[in-house]
Structures are given as structure tokens and as C-alpha cells.
Amino acid sequence: LIPPLNYGAKGTKRYVNAGASLLYSGEANLLWEMSTALTVIEVMKFTYGQFTTGDAMPMLPPLKNVVAIQYKLTKQTLMAEWETALPQSHINKSFGETATAGFSVFNIKYGIDVPMKQSKMNISLAITNLFDAYYYEHLDWGQIPRPGRSLDLFVKFLF
């Protein structure tokens, strides 16, 4: 038995070979430039796994999809993003997993390029989790929720 490495920890994870298993995974990406200014981006990921005993393989996220629409002018960009995940009920209880709910999160981002003498500065403002959804992802330990609505300011210098 390996003792916990941190105060308050419930133990230490130990990985061992589980024998034969089946693992299926796929990812689809779409980039559709509707015009020089308007682009649609989609990324969909799915992984399914089970041991030959029929038990679910642990630590696999459910189907996740991200769709973004980007409108870009010469120096300005506006992007709206919708991130969704299906519920995960294909779990392995013997590994301590519990089912998780699906979620939908909306984000928006605005950015502007500011030319400088020999470089460029980009200032971006993002609102993540616009509708303040209470959610956590399947692989988030302890089902600690992700941050609620937040406002982020980014300043980037390109040399």
C-alpha cells in the first residue's frame, strides 16, 4: 500500500496493466471559410473503451463538441463559441467513477490589433461561461465546478 503523498489526500493512484481491452476514438474537425471575414470552426471528439470483461474503461470523457463562429475585419475579431459535452454514464464504479451530467457553455471574445513601430499588440476581452452555467467535466477530480462567468483581458505583444 502506498501512503497518500499530500495532506488530505485519500491515497495514491497506482496504475497496473488491465489486460485486454477495446478502445475506439475519433475526432472530426471542420473549418468553413464562408467569406474572407466569416469562418465557422467545429471540433468534435469521442472516446469509448471497455475491458473484455464488459466493464467500462475508466477516465474516458464523453462526446465533446465545440462550435465557434469568427468574424474578422482588418484589425478586429469577434468570436462566439459554444462548448457542449454529453452526460457520461459509461463509467467504471470499481475505479471510483461516478456518472456526470452534460453541459453547455457559451463564450464570446473580442480582439483588436494595435500596430506599433516594429511590432504589433493585440488586446482581447473575453467573457467565458457567459450564462454562468454550473458544470464540471467528467475528468475533473472531486467534481469541483469550473469557474462561473468571468471576464478576461489579454494583452499580447508580437515582435
Side-chain angles (χ1 to χ4, degrees):
L1 182 68
I2 303 171
L5 298 177
N6 299 351
Y7 175 77
K10 294 181 180 178
T12 301
K13 275 209 171 293
R14 189 174 67 112
Y15 295 94
V16 295
N17 239 348
S21 62
L22 301 171
L23 182 65
Y24 303 98
S25 181
E27 181 175 327
N29 297 294
L30 169 73
L31 178 68
W32 180 20
E33 292 179 346
M34 299 174 73
S35 69
T36 56
L38 191 61
T39 305
V40 176
I41 305 156
E42 181 174 15
V43 177
M44 184 183 300
K45 297 178 182 181
F46 179 70
T47 305
Y48 178 88
Q50 72 179 39
F51 299 116
T52 53
T53 60
D55 294 330
M57 192 177 290
M59 298 182 65
L60 296 179
L63 175 72
K64 188 171 183 181
N65 190 50
V66 178
V67 177
I69 298 174
Q70 178 178 286
Y71 184 71
K72 187 168 185 149
L73 296 172
T74 307
K75 294 180 183 179
Q76 300 178 65
T77 304
L78 179 64
M79 179 184 277
E81 181 181 80
W82 178 32
E83 178 181 350
T84 60
L86 292 180
Q88 179 59 295
S89 57
H90 186 68
I91 58 168
N92 192 314
K93 291 182 181 178
S94 65
F95 279 79
E97 282 192 308
T98 57
T100 51
F103 65 86
S104 284
V105 178
F106 293 89
N107 307 309
I108 57 174
K109 182 179 179 182
Y110 171 78
I112 186 165
D113 292 331
V114 180
M116 299 173 76
K117 283 187 177 181
Q118 301 207 354
S119 62
K120 182 169 67 170
M121 179 174 59
N122 177 273
I123 302 171
S124 299
L125 187 63
I127 302 174
T128 54
N129 195 357
L130 181 65
F131 299 115
D132 200 24
Y134 178 90
Y135 76 102
Y136 51 87
E137 296 205 26
H138 183 67
L139 298 178
D140 289 343
W141 286 103
Q143 299 177 341
I144 297 170
R146 294 284 174 116
R149 182 183 312 114
S150 61
L151 182 66
D152 303 304
L153 175 66
F154 303 94
V155 178
K156 182 171 39 174
F157 291 95
L158 305 168
F159 299 98

